Amino acid sequence: MIIKLIRIDSRLIHGQVAINWVKQVGAETIICAGDAVAKDELRKSLLLQAAPSHIKTNVLSIAKAGRVAANPKYADMPVMFIVESPADALALVEEGITVDSINLGGMTFKPGATQLSDSVYVLPQDVAAIRELAAKGIQVIIQTLPSHNKVDAVAVLDSKGL
């Protein structure tokens, strides 16, 4: 696979993804990867409906996404992965998916979360996963839209003492 982008976004597929990111990165396929969403038939159905009609879209478990990415049949396919959390992004990397950077685009507020940007709130487990991705040499970039400036997530974590 030609991995155009891995985006962490708790909403998965929505307007910013369907309109802006897919076009910006030149993806022909979207893979929503996550064990919870892959098991939830209602969410899966809604995500498939929210995707642009001209883009192939799949909702897969983390393990299946890893197997698909490793399949030589899909070697020339430009793909955008979307996951709900930094832990899911880390799990994809642990399944053998290699990238230089990951886009942290949107994580909704949850009680106990710390705000990193207008659209990114992290819990302690998110911080740990982001730091583990960074330790593997993967840059995690906060960027809501392609037109927004890129901000190093680890630098923001450091500035907040996380």
Side-chain angles (χ1 to χ4, degrees), residues 86 89-90 93-94 99-102 126-141 152-155 157-158:
L90 180 59
V93 169
E94 290 172 346
V99 292
D100 295 327
S101 68
I102 293 176
D126 301 320
V127 173
I130 291 167
R131 291 206 176 273
E132 194 165 341
L133 287 163
K136 292 179 180 292
I138 299 168
Q139 187 175 28
V140 181
I141 300 294
D152 184 334
V154 172
L157 293 176
D158 290 344

Side-chain angles (χ1 to χ4, degrees), residues 93-112:
V93 169
E94 290 172 346
E95 283 293 327
I97 292 176
T98 58
V99 292
D100 295 327
S101 68
I102 293 176
N103 169 260
L104 179 52
M107 293 179 61
T108 56
F109 174 79
K110 295 176 188 91

Side-chain angles (χ1 to χ4, degrees), residues 37-154:
V37 72
K39 292 177 187 172
D40 186 332
E41 291 302 320
L42 177 59
R43 282 182 72 203
K44 196 172 176 177
S45 175
L46 293 171
L47 288 168
L48 294 173
Q49 291 174 34
S53 60
H54 66 285
I55 300 293
K56 289 183 210 163
T57 305
N58 295 286
V59 180
L60 307 174
S61 69
I62 297 291
K64 187 165 186 179
R67 289 191 305 272
V68 168
N71 188 332
K73 177 179 174 182
Y74 305 114
D76 295 328
M77 182 185 297
V79 175
M80 177 177 168
F81 281 92
I82 306 171
V83 296
E84 288 185 282
S85 69
D88 283 345
L90 180 59
L92 277 180
V93 169
E94 290 172 346
E95 283 293 327
I97 292 176
T98 58
V99 292
D100 295 327
S101 68
I102 293 176
N103 169 260
L104 179 52
M107 293 179 61
T108 56
F109 174 79
K110 295 176 188 91
T114 301
Q115 185 174 8
L116 300 187
S117 73
D118 289 344
S119 61
V120 176
Y121 296 82
V122 293
L123 294 168
Q125 62 265 31
D126 301 320
V127 173
I130 291 167
R131 291 206 176 273
E132 194 165 341
L133 287 163
K136 292 179 180 292
I138 299 168
Q139 187 175 28
V140 181
I141 300 294
I142 299 171
Q143 185 180 22
T144 306
L145 292 169
S147 60
H148 292 172
N149 290 330
K150 295 178 180 181
V151 177
D152 184 334
V154 172

Side-chain angles (χ1 to χ4, degrees), residues 7-48:
R7 179 177 170 88
I8 302 168
D9 194 318
S10 60
R11 297 178 293 165
L12 296 171
I13 299 175
H14 54 87
Q16 290 173 353
V17 170
I19 295 167
N20 294 309
W21 283 104
V22 169
K23 181 179 177 183
Q24 176 71 26
V25 302
E28 294 176 8
T29 301
I30 295 173
I31 296 177
C32 289
D35 294 339
V37 72
K39 292 177 187 172
D40 186 332
E41 291 302 320
L42 177 59
R43 282 182 72 203
K44 196 172 176 177
S45 175
L46 293 171
L47 288 168
L48 294 173

